[in-house]
Amino acid sequence: MTGKTAPPATDPAPAAPKKEPVPTPKEEPAPAPAAEEPPAPEHPPATEKPTAPADEPAPVPTAEATPAPEEGSLAPPPWYSRACLHCGFVTEPPSSPLSLAVEEVSENSFTLTWKAPEQKGQSGLDGYVVEICKDGSRLGLLSANKEPFLSTRYTVQDLSSGDKIHVRVKAVSASGASVPATLEQPVLIREILRKIRMPRHLRQTYVRRVGDAVNVMIPFQGKPQPEVVWTKGDQPLDTSRINIHNTEKDTILYIREAQRSDSGKYELAVRINGAEDKATLDIRVIEPPGPPQNLKLVDVWGFNVALEWAPPVDNGNSEIKGYMVQKSDKKSGKWFTALERCTRTSCTISDLIIGNTYSFRVFAENACGLSEKAAISSGVAHIEKTKKIPQRDMMEPPKFTQPLTDRTTTRGYSTHLFCSVRGFPQPKIIWMKNQMEIREDPKYIAMIKQGVCSLEIRKPNPFDGGIYTCKAVNPLGEASVDCKLDVKGKIGQGDRGAGLLAYLFLFSPSQWCGLSLFCADPGEGGP
């Protein structure tokens, strides 16, 4: 090996130096490009020791070596190269992604978010790589995405409930991959809270009477067993009166004897590891209303009495549906119902007996029933025994005390129109439809009793809709009220014929020839 040169070698292994000491050059030779090949054979023959030519200086070995891959990690993909493909200049990889966090966890997936790294490198970012590993898995870290992506949000799917997933995210550029950003704790895949299944009858106001029991069960779903919280007006419930029983699938609210104070909106919140679902239960506890106020005898004439009163102060936590008026004569002392379900705060009681003295009382009614007490009139009405009643006390033109109200009905269902009138002599009642008098028509039944006028429309069809008028006439004058009737339903072929007959019935046969329905069209030929 003193002066011999080695035969030409096929591998680019460095040659052995000469025996004479070679002085170290002051300037270091430029490093070979990183893309060049490379290493010597794994096991060169021990006996052959090729030497470099005597006239060529031995190259100085490079101190930088390619780092070995981490134990348990995959082989680096092509984008991990740190060298520029054009000039071979080695650049620094980007820094680690920032603020890696779990945004949402479901029963089979979870979503990650992070921020871009501070240093993106001279070549810029190619994207991010998400690597996951199941706790206890022997496969090690696996890439969740096949290619780098630029979004800072990623959802890992197709997981199983109960898995614990270790996660890390790398930023990738042409210079290589960054140091990974890692979550401190594994992500637990769990079943998230489902929507509270509020029963249909509880989606509206739940009404109970005072003293009744309130027993409400609301099912829900969630794993692990959720935390159930009931509140009323953002305050905890009074556990001395309200009992709450929770199971894995439902919650029960129970009140043994409901009171008015138990009315209100109850909020139900079901929570699982930060996830929450809410529902509202509206409970209304009602009782009979109080009595009406200030019942007065407004007028007494002939056989009639006019009454007025005010609504009760306490409606029993429910809307007042009407009033019941009773009368009692002094002779018998018994109470008899004169009017039921009166929706107004005034009425007229007729057909009283001459010579009797009457007292009156009024009950209020709501969804719970009649009031326990009644408003009793302070005065009495005495119907005098006179053969001839002075005209100034009796005679008056017609006056409607209750008008007609607009109505909407369904085709084929009979409906009624009501109004009340007063006047003396007793007025004649005329019903009209669209300003045309309703005569003897079996479809309509008109009645008057104690000043209450009613018109029944039997099995109406859409042609029966329109403006209905009730007209009262006596020698001193006349008065009228009207309303609109709307009949819902499609118009059939039979309805057209029925509508035409109803229209013709308003006229006498002698008038039919004057109707345009039976006149020849001037546009058509004629004599």
Side-chain angles (χ1 to χ4, degrees), residues 427-443:
K428 178 183 178 182
I429 303 301
I430 301 173
W431 287 93
M432 294 183 291
K433 175 189 174 185
N434 297 331
Q435 301 301 321
M436 301 188 69
E437 183 179 351
I438 299 176
R439 300 183 180 179
E440 295 180 0
D441 187 343
K443 192 177 189 64

Side-chain angles (χ1 to χ4, degrees), residues 139 173 188 207 235 254 272 311 398 415 516:
L139 299 178
S173 70
L188 175 61
V207 180
Q235 298 295 327
Y254 178 74
I272 297 181
T415 186
S516 61

